[in-house]
Amino acid sequence: MASAHSDHGHGDHPKFLAHHFDTPEQQFDAAKFGMWVFIVTEILMFGGLFVAYLIYKGQEPSVFIEAHRRLDWKLGSANTIVLLFSSLTAALAVRSSQLGKKNETTMWLMITIACAFVFMGIKYVEYSHKFHDGLLPGRYFTAHLPEHAHNGQVLPQRANMYFALYFMMTGLHGLHVLIGASALGYVLYRNLRGDFSPEYFTPVEIGALYWHLVDLVWIYLFPLVYLVG
Amino acid sequence: MSDHSHAHDDGKVHAHVSPFLFMVAIFGALVVLTVVTVAASRFDFGSANTLIAVLIATAKAALVATFFMHLKYDKGFHALIFVMSFVFLGVFLLITLEDVDTRGRVDNASTVRMHERRGEQAPGGFVLDPRGVQARERQPAGGGAHH
Amino acid sequence: MATEVAGAHGHDEPDHLAPYLSQEAGRGVKGWLLTLDHKRIGLMYLISTLLAFFMGGVFALLVRLELFAPGRTIMSAEYYNRAFTLHGAIMVFLFIIPSVPGALGNFVLPIMLGTKDVAFPRLNLLSFYIYVIGATFSLYSIVTGSVDTGWTFYTPYSTTSQTSVVSMVLGVFILGFSSILTGLNFIVTVHKLRAPGLHWKRLPLFIWGTYATSIIQVLATPVLAITLLLLAAERTMGVGIFDPALGGDPILFQHFFWFYSHPAVYIMIVPGMAVASELFATFTRRAIFGYFAVAMSSLGLALVGFLVWGHHMFTSGQSEWATMLFSALTMLVAIPSGVKVFNWTATLYKGSIELTTPMLYALSFLVLFTIGGLTGLFCAVLNTDIHLHDTYFIVAHFHYVMMGGTVMAFVGGILYWWPKMTGKLYDEGLAKISWLFVFVGFNTTFLIQFVMGSKGMPRRYYDYLPQFEIYHKVSTVGSWLLLIGFSICAWVLIKSLRSGPKSPPNPWGSAGYEWQGTESPPVMQNFRETPTITRGPYDYHLCTDEELFDGFPEDLKK
Amino acid sequence: METMQLPPQWSTFARQVDWAFYFIYYLSVFLFVVIIGAAMYFVYQYRRKPGVKAEPTGHATVLEITWTVSPLAILAFLFHIGFRGYIDMSVAPADAMEIRVRAKKWSWDFEYPNGGHSNILHVPVNRPVRLVMSSEDVIHSLYIPAFRVKKDTVPGFYSTLWFEATQTGETDLFCTEYCGAAVGTTEISPGDPNVGREGNRRHVGHFSMITKVRIQTMAEYNTFLESILRPPTDPATGREATPEKWGEILYRSQQCNTCHSTDGSAMTGPTWRGLFGRQRQFTDGSSANADANYIRQAIIAPNAKVVQGFNGVMPSFAGTLRDNQIDALIAYIRTLR
Ligand code: HEA
Ligand code: HEA
Ligand code: CUA
Ligand SMILES: [Cu+2]
C-alpha cells in the first residue's frame, strides 16, 4: 500500500478506481493478474480435450489420418490467418487506447470483432459441409455408409471418434470466439462512451488478453486437427 | 502490495507501449510460421509429425504470448503461471499416456480389446454397424488393430 | 485518520463505517442479496453450505437407516442408490468444497490481510450466484428423477442410467465455475491487496492454506468441467469419447475424473488444516511450531496432490506400470501431512492450553485426521488396496478425513469466528455437550466400518450378508448420536443469535490480525483506518495476557 | 486362519496381504499412540493456569528435518511390500487353468475349459486359476475377500485375475463396482445362490450380484465339469431334468426372471406367458411369428428386432447359453400357455 493513507477524501480517488484499491496501478495489476489466472484455467480446460485427442490419435493413427483428410485445410488455414490478424488488431487496440487515441481504438476493436464473425462464418461453411457428409460425432456418424462415399471411398466407422473430438474441440473453441467477441463488444461500447484514457484502459487490456487466448487455443488446434492426422 | 510498491511509487499505471510496425512484424512472423506448418504437413516425418507440428505451434504461441500479450514487459510471475499451466497439463497427458501405452504389457490378455489366443473381441465394446460392411473391407490394415 | 464522513454518501450508499450487519451498511433484502461486501457474501455462503450439510446429512441418515437391518428396511433399492449418490454429491460439491473457502475464507481472508475487500467484489458476488444456480440445477435433478450413479459418475453406467444425470452434471459443472472464480479471487487478493508491512512471512497460516487451496481449485477444476461437459455431450449427443460401445475408453473417464477429484480432496482438507492452525495458535497462546514448514506443506500438498490421482484406479484395469507409479507417488503425500501433524503436536508443548469448544474441535481434527490419514496408507499400498478397494474400509477412510477432518475444523472455525461474524457469544457449556455427542457419535459410526470393510463388506450395497449385520447396526446407532450432536449445535447457534450476550471485540484473547484490528462485528470497510502490520500473526510473546484482550501495545493502529 | 480384521486366508496371496495389512496396522497404531498420546499429555500438562504464560515458540531445525525426511524411509518400505505383493498378483503362472468370466447386470457367468457354464464359481484347490473377464454392459468388479483378489470387468476390454486356493470350502464372491439396481422387486427361486430374505420376491442390483466360490478337490471338480454338460438333476424327481424343467431352472439361474415374468405382467421385458406362437410387432415396423426360431434369435441377438413397447436392453446370451440350453428354454416357454 504505497500511498495507503491517501484513500479517504474521495478527491484524489479517480472515478474508475474501486474503493478497496489504493492506486490505479494496484487495480490494473490485480485485473491483469486475475485474467492471467483465468487464462490458466482455460488452458487446462481445453487441455483436457487435447489429452483425449492425443490419446485416441496415438491408439489409432491410421484411422485419424484417413479421417483428417476429410477436413478442408484451406478453410482451416484461412481461419488461422483471420484469427492471427484479429490478434494483431486486438493488440493494436490496446496500444491505441494506451496512447489515448479513442477513435483508433474503436476502429481496431471493430476490425477484431468483424474477424470473429468472419471466423464463425467460415466455421459455419465447414460445419454444414460435415453435417451433409454424415461426418457427425459418435452415434450419429454415418460417413462409413456407401451413400456418403467421398471420391468413391468411405471412412472406417471408427473415424467417429475423430469427429467426436473435432466437434467438441472446435465447438468449444467457437463458443469461446463468441464469448470473446461479446466481451470485446462491451469494451467497444465503453470506449465509445469515453471511459478510457491513458490512465485507465484496463478493460481493453483484459478483453484483448482473453482474445489472444482464443487465438492461442486455435494455434494448437489447427495443426493438430487439420494438418497432422 | 508489498511486492510491487518498489517498482513505481506514484501508483500510476505504467505499461509498455509497443511500436506499431513491430506488432505488424510479429503478425508477419506468425503468418510465415503458419505457412511453414502447412508446408511441413505435406511431408511425412513419420512419428515426428505431431512433434514438429506442436513445436511450430509453440513457437507461434510464444510469439503471441510474449509480444501481443505483453508477457515480455509484464511481471515474471505471470509468465511463470502461464508456463506452469502447460506443465500441469503435461503431467496429465504423460501419465495418462503412460497408462494407455503400457496396458497389456505384463499380461497380454489384460485390459486389451481383443483376446490374443481366441481372437475374440471383448463384449460390450465397439459395435460395427451392419450397414457399413463394405466400409470395413476398405479399412487400412493398420487401423484395424482393435477390431 | 477516522476522517470518513458518512454524509458524503448518497441515500442508498452504504455507510462504510457502520457495523456490516446493521441497516446503515445496506438496507433490507436488497442490501444483502446485492451486497458486494465480502463479509455478507461469506455469511450467505455459510447459510447455504450449512443447508447443504443438513440436506446431505438427511440423506446420510436415510442411508444408515436403510442399512440398519438386512433386506428392505425403509426404501427400495433404486431409491437407496439415489440416496447415497445424493448424499455423496451434495456433501462434496454443495457442502465441503465451498464450505471453508466460501464461508470462512470470504469472511476472514480480507480482514486478515488488512484490506477492505477481496480483489474483485463483483466477481465474488457472481461466484455466489453461480453457486446458487449450480445448486438449483442439482436440486432440479433431484426432483426430476434424481441420480443414481454414485458421486463419481463412472461411465458407461452414467451414460446409460435412466435417471436425470444431465442436470446434475450441469449443476456440478456450474458449481465448478463458482469454485474456480472464488479461487481466482483469493489468489489475486493475497498477491495484490496485503496491508503495508504484511509480507509473505507474516501471513497467517489460514491465508497460506486458503491460498494453496485456491491454486488447486484453479488448476484442477477446469478438468472436471471438461469431463462433465463431455459426459453431458455423451448423454445428449452420443459423442462416445468415454463409451466403449462407440470405441471410447471408460478407464480414460476415470483418469479425467480423478485428475480433478484427487486434488479436490486437498481442496477439502487443506482449508480444514488452515482453520486448525489458527485454532491451535489462539488456544495455546503460542506461535505455530515450524510456521514456515506448515505454510510450505500446504503448497506441497497442492502440488504433489496432482501426481497421485490413479490410486483410485488400482483395480480398474489401468496398466500395471501406471499403477505402480501412482502407488509410489501417493506415498509422498504423507510427508507434508505428517509435517503438519507433528508441528501441531509440538505447538501444544509448553503452550497455555485452553479447552474451549473450538479447541476441542481442533483437537478432534488432529486425532481423527491422523486416523484418516494413516488409513489412507492402507489404500496407497498396492496389495492391501486390492483387497480394500470399494469396501467400507474406504468409506471409513474418507469419512475420517472429510467428516473427522474438515467438518470438525469447519465447525470449530464457525464457533471460533462466530463472535466476530455475529457480535454475539454462544453458550460454551451446551456447545461442549454437543461436541461430545458429535465426537462419540462419529467414532461409533465410522470406526467399526474399518473392520466391516476389511472383512469384505463392499460399499454402495443396499443389502448385505448376515455376517455384517452387527457392524451395520452399531454404525446406524452412531449416526443417531451424530444427529443429536448436530441438533444441539444448531440450537446453540440459534440461541446465540436470538439471545446471546454481546461479544467484546476479542473474546478469545487472540493475537490474530482479524481479532486485534477490528470490532465485533467489523464495520463495513473492516478497519476504521488502513492498518500497518508491524508484527507476526502469532506474536503472543510481545505482550502480556491482559494486554491481549485490549490490543497489542504497539497495536495495528499505529 | 481368520483374524479380527480380515477374512479367512484361503489363497496363496492372503498371508502376504495380511502381513502387509498388519504391518501398516501396527505401524499406524504405534504412530497414533505416540503422536496423539503426546498431544493429550501436553493438553493436560500445559493446560491454562493463571499467571503461567506460554513459552514462545522456538526453533528445532534438526527435529523438523528429521520428521520431514525419516518418514520417507518408512514410506519407501511400505511401497516395497505393496509392490512385491502386487507383482505376484499381476503375473499368472504359465500353467494356470483358464476360466472365462462374463459379468452382466446382475449376474456372473463362468465358462470352464470344457465349454460348460455355471453361475457359481467352481475351482480346484492348490491349482493356479486365471480368470479372463469381460462385461457386456457396465463396469463390474469381481471380488473374493477370502482370496484377497479384486479386478474390474470393463465393457469393451478384457481383464485378468489369478489366484491359487489353498483350502476346500465355500466362500463369497461379490461385485464391487457399483452397477445399479432393477426397478421394483423380482421373483427368485429358493435355490438362488444370492442373498434374499424377503420371501420369493426381492430387490436385485449391484448388491445382489453376489455368488459363491466353491473350492473342490480335483476329483470333485472334475465331476462338476462333467455335470455341467448335462441337464441338472430335477430336485422333484431326483433324475435328470426334462427339457421343460431344465428351461425353468435356467429361467431362474440365468436371471431371465429379472426382466421376464411368467404370470402375464410386463416387467423390463415382455412376459413369457402366451408368448409362443403369438404375432410380434417390432419397433422398426416389421412383425414376425414367435416360433422356436424367433425365440432362439431373440436370445442370441435380442436387439436386432426390438419388441414394440420395450427398450433394447436385453443382453445377448450368445456364448453364454449352449444350444441344448436354448432348446430347453424354448421348451419351457412353450409350456407357458
Ligand atoms: C479430505 C479428503 C481426503 C484426504 C485428506 C485424503 C488423504 C489421503 N488419502 Fe484418501 N480418499 C478420499 C478423501 C481423502 N483422502 C476420498 C473421498 C476417497 C474415496 C473416493 C471414492 O471412491 O468415493 C479416498 C480414497 C483413497 C484411496 C483410494 C482407495 C480405493 O478406492 O481403493 C487412496 C489410495 O491410495 C487414498 C489414499 C490417501 C492418502 C495416502 C492420503 C494422505 O493424504 C494421508 C496423509 C496423512 C497421514 C499419513 C497421517 C499423518 C501423517 C503422519 C502421522 C506422519 C507419519 C506417517 C508415516 C510416515 C506413515 N484415499
Ligand atoms: C463431506 C463429506 C461427507 C460427510 C460430512 C458425510 C457424512 C456422513 N456420511 Fe457419508 N459419504 C460421503 C461424504 C460425506 N459423508 C461420500 C462422498 C460418500 C460416497 C458416496 C458414493 O458412494 O457415491 C459417502 C457415503 C456414505 C456411506 C456409504 C454408502 C454406501 O456405500 O452404500 C455411508 C454409510 O454409512 C455414509 C454415512 C454418513 C453419515 C452417517 C454421515 C454423518 O456424519 C452425517 C451427520 C450429519 C447429520 C446427522 C446432519 C444433521 C445436521 C443437523 C441436524 C444440523 C441442522 C442444521 C441446520 C438447522 C442449518 N456416507
Ligand atoms: Cu455388478 Cu456391481
Ligand atoms: Cu485420492
Side-chain angles (χ1 to χ4, degrees), chain B residues 1-4 75 77-78 81 84-85 88-89 91-107 110-111 113 121 123-128, chain C residues 191-200 211 219 223 244-249 251-252 255-256 259 302-303 306-307 309 313 317-322 325-326 329:
Chain B
M1 291 136 277
S2 15
D3 58 340
H4 71 97
K75 307 214 150 39
F77 198 70
H78 295 176
I81 60 172
M84 282 306 275
S85 67
F88 277 89
L89 205 56
V91 167
F92 183 29
L93 175 66
L94 288 182
I95 308 190
T96 309
L97 261 184
E98 159 79 9
D99 166 26
V100 174
D101 282 354
T102 55
R103 286 189 200 159
R105 286 246 183 119
V106 170
D107 179 343
S110 174
T111 336
R113 292 180 199 253
Q121 206 197 319
F126 191 63
V127 196
L128 275 181
Chain C
H191 272 269
K192 302 289 178 196
L193 286 179
R194 301 191 309 277
L198 185 52
H199 46 73
W200 289 92
Y211 179 70
L219 286 173
V223 177
L246 292 165
D249 178 356
I251 301 176
L252 189 64
H255 278 294
F256 270 67
F259 183 79
L303 300 183
F306 275 97
L307 305 177
W309 73 86
M313 301 162 59
Q318 164 183 251
S319 90
E320 289 80 0
W321 301 101
L325 181 66
F326 279 124
L329 290 170

Side-chain angles (χ1 to χ4, degrees), chain B:
Chain B
M1 291 136 277
S2 15
D3 58 340
H4 71 97
S5 50
H6 54 86
H8 307 283
D9 24 33
D10 61 355
K12 294 231 176 67
V13 176
H14 298 266
H16 177 87
V17 182
S18 313
F20 179 83
L21 282 180
F22 180 71
M23 306 279 251
V24 176
I26 297 294
F27 171 66
L30 287 169
V31 173
V32 170
L33 283 172
T34 307
V35 174
V36 170
T37 192
V38 172
S41 74
R42 310 267 112 175
F43 300 97
D44 191 4
F45 302 100
S47 54
N49 276 345
T50 311
L51 190 66
I52 291 173
V54 169
L55 284 181
I56 301 179
T58 304
K60 288 165 77 181
L63 284 179
V64 171
T66 346
F67 299 109
F68 285 176
M69 298 168 95
H70 309 301
L71 264 186
K72 178 145 193 271
Y73 319 102
D74 209 343
K75 307 214 150 39
F77 198 70
H78 295 176
L80 180 75
I81 60 172
F82 183 63
V83 172
M84 282 306 275
S85 67
F86 286 93
V87 172
F88 277 89
L89 205 56
V91 167
F92 183 29
L93 175 66
L94 288 182
I95 308 190
T96 309
L97 261 184
E98 159 79 9
D99 166 26
V100 174
D101 282 354
T102 55
R103 286 189 200 159
R105 286 246 183 119
V106 170
D107 179 343
N108 61 9
S110 174
T111 336
V112 292
R113 292 180 199 253
M114 191 135 103
H115 195 297
E116 284 259 305
R117 211 153 28 70
R118 296 205 205 170
E120 226 180 272
Q121 206 197 319
F126 191 63
V127 196
L128 275 181
D129 182 346
R131 293 171 300 162
V133 182
Q134 295 134 303
R136 192 153 41 125
E137 285 158 6
R138 234 180 258 278
Q139 212 175 287
H146 292 297
H147 293 265

Side-chain angles (χ1 to χ4, degrees), chain A residues 1-3 22-26 28-29 32-33 36-37 39-41 43-44 46-48 50-52 54-60 62-63 65-66 73 77 80-81 84-88 91-92 94-95 98-99 104 108 141-142 144-147 152-158 160 198-202 205 208-210 212-213 215-216 219-220 222-224 227-229, chain B residues 1-2 4-5 7-20 23-24 27 30-31 34-35 37-38 41-42 49-50 53-54 56-62 64-65 67-71 73-75 77-79 81-82 85-86 88-89 92-93 96-97 100-101 103 113 126-136 138-147:
Chain A
M1 251 187 233
S3 47
D22 295 317
T23 63
E25 188 198 17
Q26 189 191 19
F28 177 71
D29 278 359
K32 207 155 131 186
F33 185 38
W36 275 106
V37 176
I39 286 174
V40 166
T41 70
I43 289 174
L44 278 143
F46 274 103
F50 278 95
V51 168
L54 288 172
I55 280 175
Y56 284 119
K57 178 168 174 297
Q59 281 187 357
E60 281 177 294
S62 52
V63 175
I65 289 182
E66 210 176 322
W73 68 272
S77 308
T80 308
I81 304 293
L84 288 175
F85 182 66
S86 73
S87 231
L88 170 70
L92 289 174
V94 176
R95 181 176 177 278
Q98 282 175 333
L99 298 173
E104 232 176 77
W108 293 129
F141 183 82
T142 48
H144 60 295
L145 299 180
E147 63 263 34
Q153 284 219 309
V154 293
L155 282 177
Q157 198 191 337
R158 297 271 312 162
N160 68 348
E199 281 79 50
Y200 178 67
F201 54 88
T202 313
E205 168 96 23
L209 272 181
Y210 188 79
H212 294 310
L213 167 80
D215 188 23
L216 276 184
I219 283 178
Y220 281 94
F222 168 64
L224 282 179
L227 299 181
V228 195
Chain B
M1 291 136 277
S2 15
H4 71 97
S5 50
H8 307 283
D9 24 33
D10 61 355
K12 294 231 176 67
V13 176
H14 298 266
H16 177 87
V17 182
S18 313
F20 179 83
M23 306 279 251
V24 176
F27 171 66
L30 287 169
V31 173
T34 307
V35 174
T37 192
V38 172
S41 74
R42 310 267 112 175
N49 276 345
T50 311
V54 169
I56 301 179
T58 304
K60 288 165 77 181
V64 171
F67 299 109
F68 285 176
M69 298 168 95
H70 309 301
L71 264 186
Y73 319 102
D74 209 343
K75 307 214 150 39
F77 198 70
H78 295 176
I81 60 172
F82 183 63
S85 67
F86 286 93
F88 277 89
L89 205 56
F92 183 29
L93 175 66
T96 309
L97 261 184
V100 174
D101 282 354
R103 286 189 200 159
R113 292 180 199 253
F126 191 63
V127 196
L128 275 181
D129 182 346
R131 293 171 300 162
V133 182
Q134 295 134 303
R136 192 153 41 125
R138 234 180 258 278
Q139 212 175 287
H146 292 297
H147 293 265

